[in-house]
């Protein structure tokens, strides 16, 4: 029955994430009905990959009304079969429906299953990330979107996957002194996967997390999360990202007294510069997407505000594939420009209020805004 769908939360390192890039306006009842079309069973079944002539195969989708549920394999390995329990897939669909549609305002998202092996493989000290991945590193995703959207391949292209690898490398780095070989190695792995994440787009389909070929791309950006900037609601910030940023080719002038503020409820986004500067909205979009992924919608950490700014001595580097137009999160902004996401603690009624508020004065100086009001 549609109203008896069980919920299975992810077992770390598996995780779930909700994001407007996967769709808006999903209706709970539609997703519950779509889930009734998923196969049932408590026995472990071999699912053939890319073989729709089999009764059990991946990828596949079911949908009803506003809601589509897609189950896919993820990762670069050439596995041909995965052993899965049908009821487990149904319960994962139930959980992501509850988290994204019910608790996050009717948006899409995805949940992973089976990431333990790939995380361990990547964190082994001498793993060659350019070599073929073994079959056992394959995992699956259960993704919610609107039916008119094509397959998202979220487990291949979403930056949260790279950020998850970075997070577990960071935990490993804490075990070893930083002046030891292993300490330095895990620090490098953290920087590598952070750099990879800022070259990917949430909801994108162009840059898989395992693709490291191409020329060296120097990092000239710093992305820093700061609890002093408060905890803006991810749903509010994604509304700014997807509904308020202008078309890529348009430009924006900013300067010392010419700050652009974009707002939605708890989330404030400020675009500023210390000298008169003209930015394209494509540059802004790339920096915002990276800042959102790292600070506001990190898969394993609470939402917090953050800053993106040019830094010629950026610590993140790696052999990364550039986008065709040459703009990625690694080189999005020119010198003297900043993008800041924060939670406003005072009511604003005009642009004069924005520039003169206690919150913005603190934020623009790199200080905590927590003393300006109650977040």
């Amino acid at each position: 029955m549609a109203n008896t769908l069980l919920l299975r939360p992810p077992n770390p390192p598996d995780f779930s994430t909700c994001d407007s890039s996967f769709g808006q306006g999903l209706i709970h009842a539609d997703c519950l009905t779509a889930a009734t079309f998923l196969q049932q069973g408590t026995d472990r079944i071999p699912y053939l990959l890319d073989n729709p002539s089999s009764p059990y195969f991946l990828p596949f989708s079911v949908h009803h009304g506003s809601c589509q549920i897609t189950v896919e394999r993820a990762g670069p390995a050439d596995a041909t079969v995965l052993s899965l329990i049908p009821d487990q897939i149904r319960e994962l669909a139930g959980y992501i429906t509850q988290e994204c549609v019910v608790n996050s305002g009717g948006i899409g998202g995805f949940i992973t299953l089976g990431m333990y092996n790939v995380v361990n493989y990547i964190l082994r000290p001498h793993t060659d990330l350019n070599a073929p991945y073994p079959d056992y590193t394959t995992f699956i995703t259960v993704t919610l979107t609107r039916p008119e959207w094509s397959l998202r391949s979220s487990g291949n292209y979403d930056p949260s996957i790279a950020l998850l690898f970075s997070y577990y490398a960071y935990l490993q780095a804490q075990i070893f002194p930083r002046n030891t070989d292993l300490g330095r190695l895990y620090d490098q792995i953290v920087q590598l996967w952070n750099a990879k994440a800022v070259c990917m787009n949430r909801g994108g389909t162009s840059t898989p997390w395992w693709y490291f070929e191409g020329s060296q791309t120097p990092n000239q950006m710093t992305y820093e999360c700061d609890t002093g900037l408060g905890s803006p609601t991810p749903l509010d910030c994604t509304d700014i990202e997807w509904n308020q940023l202008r078309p890529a080719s348009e430009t924006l002038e900013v300067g010392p007294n010419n700050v652009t503020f974009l707002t939605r409820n708890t989330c404030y986004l400020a675009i500023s510069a210390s000298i008169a500067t003209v930015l394209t909205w494509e540059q802004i979009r790339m920096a915002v997407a990276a800042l959102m992924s790292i600070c506001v919608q990190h898969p394993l950490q609470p939402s917090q505000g953050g800053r993106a700014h040019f830094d010629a001595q950026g610590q993140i580097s790696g052999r990364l594939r550039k986008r065709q137009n040459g703009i990625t999160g690694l080189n999005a902004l020119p010198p003297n420009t900043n993008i800041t996401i924060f939670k406003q603690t005072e009511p604003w009624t005009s642009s004069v209020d924005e520039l003169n508020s206690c919150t913005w004065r603190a934020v623009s100086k790199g200080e905590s805004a927590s003393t300006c009001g109650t977040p």
Side-chain angles (χ1 to χ4, degrees), residues 170-203:
Y170 169 79
L171 295 183
Q172 285 293 105
Q174 307 312 299
I175 299 173
F176 305 99
R178 300 194 69 172
N179 61 349
T180 64
D181 288 345
L182 282 176
R184 286 188 290 267
L185 174 64
Y186 282 115
D187 276 343
Q188 291 172 0
I189 294 175
V190 169
Q191 299 296 328
L192 176 68
W193 287 109
N194 278 340
K196 185 64 182 180
V198 302
C199 286
M200 302 169 72
N201 273 345
R202 299 191 316 285

Side-chain angles (χ1 to χ4, degrees), residues 207-219:
T207 307
W209 54 261
W210 63 83
Y211 193 92
F212 282 88
E213 296 179 6
S215 60
Q216 184 87 0
T217 302
N219 177 50

